[in-house]
Amino acid sequence: MMTSQGHIEDHDGDFPPNPFRYDEDDEDITPSDVPQQAAQVGAPVPAPTDGGFGGPPRVPLPPPISSVPVDVDDPYATSFEPVKTSYVGSGSIDQVPAQQTAPSTMSSNVSLDQEPKGFLHRITACVSVENYKAHFDVDTADIVERVIGSVTLCNSPDEFRQTVLGVGMNNGKSPDLYGPYWITLTLMFFVAMTSNMHMYIHSNNLNDFEYDIRHLVRAMSVLSFFTIGLPVVFFFTFRFFGIQVTLIELVCLYGYSLVPYFPAVIMCLIPWGFFGWLFLLAATGVSVMLVLRNVAGPVLASEISQSKAGPILVAVLLCHFVFFLVLKLSFYHKHAH
């Protein structure tokens, strides 16, 4: 209670004076005088601490967690020890699966990505440009290496497919579509140009000679079917028999197998027809060896029997032979005009 002189009285009414209140008159009081003052006013004596009466009272430490008895049969008993790592909660009363209480964003995204794709989605993915960007990510050094390897490694089993294309190897390489695209497109113009020159050389009346644009259309049809149509047919055949060869690998193999035909079609300009047959046959032999040597490994390594593997490889050989006959008889026959 505040007096008129501004001093605070030691007690007010029925309340005893506070022995622990700091006052200017208490500067000479020592810690040993505190129990005596507390006894005079009837207050409980404070318990001494390690630092004397100047610090807070000592608080006993709680018992360790492992020493707290828990009744495991009591469904309402709560333990601060984890019960199971797959549950969220601090005790047996909170046994709720984590996937039901706190689903993560990552798990939901994974589940969305793993949803089965419909037929329409697969069709749209085939024509999506984003799916083909990685197969055009090559530079000039890669194309030169693959063009040279298509001839020098044609007789090495799986050497071109694994070492040069990087199939099944962690060398940072993968089959590309850039090389097969430009090789096929360039060979179309080579065939159309050399076939018309072949007609000019074997023409009886040079004044009546006219450039035949239909050769370009035929070359486009034949080479497009060889580079794309045949790989698609063999891809579905391989899938039916469980042979592990992708469509991109087949298109890449057939695309680079056209490289030997570039010098062959130029040699077909020689006036003697025998040389045309010889050079085209040699180019077909190099081309079919490149495809067979890199396809025979996966075919023989599959679970199909040898009786089925043989006809598949023979079909590859026959398709190249038919391609050879089409080139010779449609473009470089002396009566083509």
Side-chain angles (χ1 to χ4, degrees):
M1 180 176 179
M2 184 75 66
T3 61
S4 60
Q5 288 78 15
H7 296 284
I8 300 175
E9 296 183 355
D10 292 339
H11 63 277
D12 187 8
D14 298 333
F15 292 95
N18 186 2
F20 303 103
R21 180 175 59 82
Y22 176 78
D23 197 276
E24 297 178 356
D25 299 334
D26 299 334
E27 293 181 356
D28 298 333
I29 299 177
T30 60
S32 60
D33 298 332
V34 175
Q36 298 177 4
Q37 292 184 359
Q40 292 177 2
V41 298
V45 180
T49 60
D50 295 337
F53 290 95
R58 180 184 301 172
V59 179
L61 297 175
I65 296 177
S66 58
S67 64
V68 178
V70 178
D71 187 5
V72 295
D73 297 331
D74 186 4
Y76 298 100
T78 302
S79 172
F80 290 96
E81 296 181 353
V83 180
K84 292 182 179 180
T85 57
S86 62
Y87 292 98
V88 176
S90 59
S92 60
I93 194 173
D94 298 327
Q95 296 183 3
V96 181
Q99 60 271 19
Q100 296 181 5
T101 57
S104 62
T105 306
M106 183 179 298
S107 62
S108 62
N109 293 335
V110 172
S111 62
L112 291 177
D113 295 339
Q114 294 177 353
E115 291 180 358
K117 306 297 184 182
F119 179 75
L120 182 60
H121 179 83
R122 296 179 181 179
I123 294 298
T124 55
C126 292
V127 296
S128 177
V129 179
E130 297 294 332
N131 295 334
Y132 296 98
K133 282 186 176 180
H135 302 295
F136 287 86
D137 188 15
V138 290
D139 53 14
T140 305
D142 295 330
I143 299 299
V144 171
E145 178 187 7
R146 297 179 182 195
V147 169
I148 296 176
S150 63
V151 178
T152 58
L153 301 176
C154 64
N155 198 29
S156 302
D158 291 327
E159 188 72 17
F160 180 80
R161 179 170 169 264
Q162 294 180 354
T163 305
V164 180
L165 299 183
V167 176
M169 308 293 290
N170 295 326
N171 54 4
K173 300 180 180 180
S174 62
D176 70 286
L177 296 178
Y178 183 85
Y181 171 77
W182 283 109
I183 291 173
T184 305
L185 192 64
T186 307
L187 188 59
M188 290 179 187
F189 289 96
F190 263 70
V191 171
M193 178 186 65
T194 55
S195 62
N196 278 277
M197 294 176 64
H198 183 272
M199 287 178 55
Y200 178 81
I201 293 173
H202 292 85
S203 178
N204 295 327
N205 189 359
L206 299 180
N207 296 326
D208 297 335
F209 172 78
E210 293 182 359
Y211 184 86
D212 193 355
I213 192 62
R214 293 177 298 178
H215 284 189
L216 179 62
V217 178
R218 286 199 298 266
M220 185 180 302
S221 302
V222 172
L223 293 175
S224 297
F225 180 78
F226 181 84
T227 310
I228 301 176
L230 277 182
V232 171
V233 172
F234 282 116
F235 170 72
F236 285 107
T237 304
F238 291 166
R239 286 290 297 270
F240 179 78
F241 291 106
I243 302 173
Q244 301 298 325
V245 179
T246 64
L247 179 59
I248 300 298
E249 296 175 21
L250 290 174
V251 173
C252 191
L253 281 175
Y254 274 89
Y256 282 104
S257 68
L258 293 176
V259 172
Y261 288 99
F262 281 94
V265 297
I266 296 176
M267 292 300 175
C268 288
L269 297 177
I270 299 177
W272 297 279
F274 171 76
F275 287 97
W277 286 94
L278 180 63
F279 285 111
L280 284 178
L281 186 61
T284 303
V286 175
S287 177
V288 72
M289 279 196 300
L290 177 67
V291 177
L292 279 178
R293 284 294 190 175
N294 291 274
V295 169
V299 171
L300 298 177
S302 61
E303 298 179 356
I304 64 175
S305 60
Q306 298 294 329
S307 60
K308 297 179 180 179
I312 293 177
L313 299 179
V314 172
V316 175
L317 178 62
L318 289 178
C319 289
H320 267 77
F321 183 73
V322 172
F323 178 68
F324 156 72
L325 292 178
V326 171
L327 281 182
K328 178 57 182 172
L329 299 178
S330 298
F331 299 98
Y332 301 104
H333 195 267
K334 66 178 180 179
H335 299 295
H337 62 283

